[in-house]
C-alpha cells in the first residue's frame, strides 16, 4: 500500500472521528443542560467557544504547517480531542465545559477537515473534490453510528462515563492515524505525486500539474476570494444552526430523545450519497454548478421543515438536509481550483476559518431563537435564505479561474 493511499485512509479515519464526534454532540446538549443547570441556549455556546479556537487555528493553519510537521500537529489534535471529553466527564460546571471546548475546536481543525483536506490537495491533484468527498462519507458513517450509540450509552451509564470513553478511544485513534498513516508534503520525501499516487484513484502522470497560482497577498485582494469566503460563512451558519441543535429540533416536532438520535443518524448516513454527488458535480461541472444543485435542495428543505412534523417528517428532513454537507467541502474544493495550489495550505485554512466563523454563530443563534420564541421556524427560514445567498456568491466567485496575474 503506497504512501498516497495511506494518506487517504488516515485522513478519512482521523476526520471521521473528530468531525463525526462533533456532529454527534447534539445528543449531549440536554444531558449537559440537566447536569449543569444551564439553558439549552447557554449550552450551545460551547460550540461558539470551540469555533473561536478553530477560527484562530484555521487562520494560522498555513503558517503553522510551515514550522510544525503535519504528523505532530495532528497528534496534538488527538490529545486535545481527548481533553475535551474528559472535561465533560469530570466537571458539572458549564464554564469548565466551555474551556474544554477550546481544545475541541483546535482538534477539529488540526485533526479534522483542514489537515485532511490539505493532505488530499497535496497528494491527489486529479479528482480532488471526489477524494475529499470520501472524507465526508467517513464522517457520515461515524456520526451515523455514534449518535444512537451515545444516546443509548448516556441513558444507561450517564454522561460522564460515556464522554470519558469517547474521548480516550477517539483520541487514541486520531493519534494512531497521525503517526502511522498521514504524510508530509510529497516534496518532503523527494517524490512527486506522479511517482507515488495510486492509479485506482485517478492520479496519473498527466494529471499532476505544476504548483501554480497566486500568492496569498494577491488572492486577498480579489473580490472572488471574499465572495467564496462569505459563501462558506453563511452556508455553515445555516448548517450548524440546524445540525448542532438537531436533537432538540427533532424533539420539538414530536420525537423522543432516542428517535431524535436516529434523525441525526439518518442525516449522517444520507451524507454518504450527497457528499460524493457534490464531489462528482464539482469535478465534472465545476463548483458553481455543484453548489447550485445541492444548495438549492438544502434551501428548499429548510423551508419545508417549518411544516413537516412527526417521525416521517423528521426522516424526510434529515435525509434531504444532508445536502448541506457541501458546506464542509465548499471552500477547499473551490478556492484551490480558482486560485491554484501554490497556497493550498493557507487556502484550506482560511476556508476552515470561514466555517469556524459560521459555526460560532449558527448554533447559538438557533438555540437562542428557540429559547426566546419556542420555535425553530424563524431560524429554518433564515437558513433557507442563507443557502440561496451561498449559491449566488459561489456562482459569482467561482466562474473564473485566476491562477496568474490578470
Amino acid at each position: 500500500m503506497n504512501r498516497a493511499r495511506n494518506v487517504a485512509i488516515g485522513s478519512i479515519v482521523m476526520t471521521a472521528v473528530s468531525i463525526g464526534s462533533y456532529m454527534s454532540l447534539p445528543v449531549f446538549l440536554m444531558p449537559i443542560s440537566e447536569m449543569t443547570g444551564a439553558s439549552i441556549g447557554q449550552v450551545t455556546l460551547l460550540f461558539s467557544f470551540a469555533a473561536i479556537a478553530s477560527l484562530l487555528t484555521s487562520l494560522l493553519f498555513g503558517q503553522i504547517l510551515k514550522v510544525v510537521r503535519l504528523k505532530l500537529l495532528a497528534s496534538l489534535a488527538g490529545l486535545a480531542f481527548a481533553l475535551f471529553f474528559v472535561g465533560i466527564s469530570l466537571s458539572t460546571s458549564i464554564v469548565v465545559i466551555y474551556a474544554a471546548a477550546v481544545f475541541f475546536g483546535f482538534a477539529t481543525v488540526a485533526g479534522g477537515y483542514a489537515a485532511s483536506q490539505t493532505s488530499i490537495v497535496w497528494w491527489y491533484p486529479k479528482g480532488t473534490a471526489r477524494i475529499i468527498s470520501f472524507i465526508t462519507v467517513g464522517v457520515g458513517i461515524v456520526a451515523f453510528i455514534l449518535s444512537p450509540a451515545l444516546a443509548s450509552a448516556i441513558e444507561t451509564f450517564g454522561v460522564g462515563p460515556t464522554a470519558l470513553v469517547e474521548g480516550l478511544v477517539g483520541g487514541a485513534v486520531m493519534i494512531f492515524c497521525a503517526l502511522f498513516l498521514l504524510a508530509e508534503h510529497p516534496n518532503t520525501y523527494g517524490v512527486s505525486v506522479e511517482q507515488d499516487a495510486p492509479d485506482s484513484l485517478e492520479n496519473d502522470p498527466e494529471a499532476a500539474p505544476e504548483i501554480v497560482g497566486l500568492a496569498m497577498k494577491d488572492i486577498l485582494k480579489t473580490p472572488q476570494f471574499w465572495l467564496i469566503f462569505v459563501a462558506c460563512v453563511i452556508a455553515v451558519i445555516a448548517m450548524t444552526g440546524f445540525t448542532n441543535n438537531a436533537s432538540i429540533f427533532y424533539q420539538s416536532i414530536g420525537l423522543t430523545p432516542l428517535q431524535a438520535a436516529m434523525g441525526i443518524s439518518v442525516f449522517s448516513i444520507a451524507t454518504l450519497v450527497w457528499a460524493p454527488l457534490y464531489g462528482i458535480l464539482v469535478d465534472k461541472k465545476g463548483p458553481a454548478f455543484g453548489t447550485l444543485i445541492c444548495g438549492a435542495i438544502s434551501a428548499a428543505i429548510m423551508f419545508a421543515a417549518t411544516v413537516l412534523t412527526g417521525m416521517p417528517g423528521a426522516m424526510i428532513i434529515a435525509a434531504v438536509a444532508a445536502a448541506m454537507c457541501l458546506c464542509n467541502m465548499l471552500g477547499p474544493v473551490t478556492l484551490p481550483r480558482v486560485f491554484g495550489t501554490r497556497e493550498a495550505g493557507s487556502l484550506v485554512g482560511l476556508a476552515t476559518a470561514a466555517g469556524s466563523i459560521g459555526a460560532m454563530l449558527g448554533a447559538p443563534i438557533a438555540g437562542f431563537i428557540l429559547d426566546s420564541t419556542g420555535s425553530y421556524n424563524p431560524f429554518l427560514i433564515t437558513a433557507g435564505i442563507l443557502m440561496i445567498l451561498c449559491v449566488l456568491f459561489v456562482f459569482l466567485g467561482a466562474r473564473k479561474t485566476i491562477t496568474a496575474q490578470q
Side-chain angles (χ1 to χ4, degrees), residues 21-31 47 147 242-248 251 264:
S21 297
Y22 178 86
M23 291 180 64
S24 301
L25 274 181
V27 303
F28 281 97
L29 294 185
M30 187 62 75
F47 293 110
S147 295
F242 175 76
T243 58
N244 291 349
N245 293 278
S247 180
I248 308 301
Q251 291 179 61
I264 297 171

Side-chain angles (χ1 to χ4, degrees), residues 150-228:
L150 290 173
S152 179
I154 290 171
E155 287 187 1
T156 304
F157 304 107
V159 65
T162 300
L164 181 63
V165 171
E166 182 177 9
L168 295 179
V169 174
V173 171
M174 291 176 64
I175 292 172
F176 175 85
C177 291
L179 294 177
F180 299 106
L181 295 176
L182 295 188
E184 309 302 326
H185 192 283
N187 291 345
T188 305
Y189 307 97
V191 300
S192 67
V193 287
E194 304 101 295
Q195 294 172 315
D196 205 48
D199 291 338
S200 62
L201 291 179
E202 293 188 342
N203 284 264
D204 53 57
E206 295 181 357
E210 297 178 7
I211 297 177
V212 296
L214 294 183
M216 205 63 233
K217 62 183 179 64
D218 296 316
I219 293 172
L220 294 176
K221 296 176 183 178
T222 67
Q224 287 86 351
F225 171 80
W226 293 107
L227 283 167
I228 297 168

Side-chain angles (χ1 to χ4, degrees), residues 272-401:
L272 306 189
V273 175
W274 287 110
L277 175 62
Y278 180 69
I280 292 170
L281 290 173
V282 170
D283 283 336
K284 299 295 185 182
K285 299 291 186 179
F289 183 81
T291 305
L292 169 63
I293 298 301
C294 293
I297 292 172
S298 300
I301 194 61
M302 288 295 97
F303 295 135
T306 61
V307 296
L308 295 172
T309 59
M311 192 66 176
M315 295 302 99
I316 293 171
I317 294 168
V320 180
M324 288 195 292
C325 69
L326 73 92
C327 304
N328 300 322
M329 300 179 281
L330 175 58
V333 303
T334 303
L335 290 172
R337 188 182 183 111
V338 174
F339 297 105
T341 58
R342 177 179 176 181
E343 298 283 359
S346 294
L347 287 173
V348 172
L350 287 171
T352 307
S356 299
I357 294 172
M360 194 185 308
L361 299 173
I365 287 174
F368 283 111
I369 283 176
L370 175 66
D371 285 346
S372 60
T373 69
S375 171
Y376 275 119
N377 285 353
F379 177 80
L380 293 172
I381 294 171
T382 302
I385 295 171
L386 291 177
M387 292 307 300
I388 292 173
L389 291 174
C390 169
V391 170
L392 175 62
F393 291 165
V394 172
F395 176 79
L396 294 175
R399 60 182 176 175
K400 182 179 180 182
T401 298

Side-chain angles (χ1 to χ4, degrees), residues 10-20 57 61 70 72-81 103-117 135 139 170 174-175 177-178 182:
S11 297
I12 291 169
V13 174
M14 178 183 71
T15 309
V17 170
S18 62
I19 307 301
T57 307
F61 189 73
L70 182 63
L72 174 59
L73 189 62
S75 297
L76 292 174
L79 177 61
F81 176 94
F103 290 102
F104 190 58
F106 167 77
T108 60
V109 176
Y113 280 123
S116 60
Q117 290 170 340
I135 298 175
V139 170
M174 291 176 64
I175 292 172
C177 291
L182 295 188

